[in-house]
């Protein structure tokens, strides 16, 4: 069902500092920061040869990553995103097995403009999982 690792998302308190770290210290290719008000985040992508790192900073007061950063003040790994071919088929197979989908249970449009769903971390080894249809 799951295919490639699309990205690893890291929540950070200061996206400029995090971008500088990945670009200047680690020597990676880093995109410009983009505000995504609908998602409550500012995002930068670090493009690696085999996957991406998504740096996330809260945007606005109701950002979904504020509580995570309150618990992890230096930042931390927030979620993993796996690619799937058919997100509805994947969701239906997972819910039959008792796995919990967050929110309405219907796909939303993610940071890449593609349908995504999030799966409950308690069902997946303590890790928030994003599925993205590619
Ligand atoms: Co993501």
């Amino acid at each position: 069902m799951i295919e490639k690792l699309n990205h690893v998302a890291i929540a950070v308190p200061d996206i400029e500092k995090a971008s500088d770290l990945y670009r200047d210290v680690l020597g990676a290719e880093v995109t410009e920061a983009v505000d995504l008000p609908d998602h409550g985040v500012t995002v930068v992508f670090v493009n690696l040869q085999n996957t991406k790192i998504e740096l996330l900073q809260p945007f606005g007061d109701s950002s979904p990553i504020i509580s995570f950063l309150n618990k992890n003040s230096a930042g931390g790994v927030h979620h993993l995103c796996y690619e799937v071919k058919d997100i509805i088929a994947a969701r239906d197979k997972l819910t039959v097995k008792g796995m919990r989908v967050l929110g309405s249970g219907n796909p939303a449009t993610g940071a890449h403009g593609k349908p995504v769903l999030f799966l409950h971390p308690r069902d997946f080894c303590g890790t928030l999982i994003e599925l993205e249809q590619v």
Side-chain angles (χ1 to χ4, degrees), residues 122-134:
R122 292 230 177 98
D123 296 339
F124 291 95
C125 313
T127 307
L128 178 62
I129 302 290
E130 179 179 20
L131 298 179
E132 180 173 295
Q133 180 170 292
V134 293

Side-chain angles (χ1 to χ4, degrees), residues 69-126:
L69 282 170
N70 285 341
K71 288 179 229 140
N72 303 274
S73 59
V77 174
H78 184 261
H79 64 267
L80 303 181
C81 177
Y82 300 122
E83 298 180 357
V84 294
K85 281 215 176 72
D86 182 336
I87 201 161
I88 298 295
R91 177 197 65 188
D92 292 348
K93 271 187 198 163
L94 289 164
T95 51
V96 163
K97 291 184 175 157
M99 304 298 147
R100 291 168 286 180
V101 176
L102 300 185
S104 71
N106 292 316
T109 301
H112 309 101
K114 297 185 176 154
V116 301
L117 283 174
F118 285 90
L119 305 174
H120 201 298
R122 292 230 177 98
D123 296 339
F124 291 95
C125 313

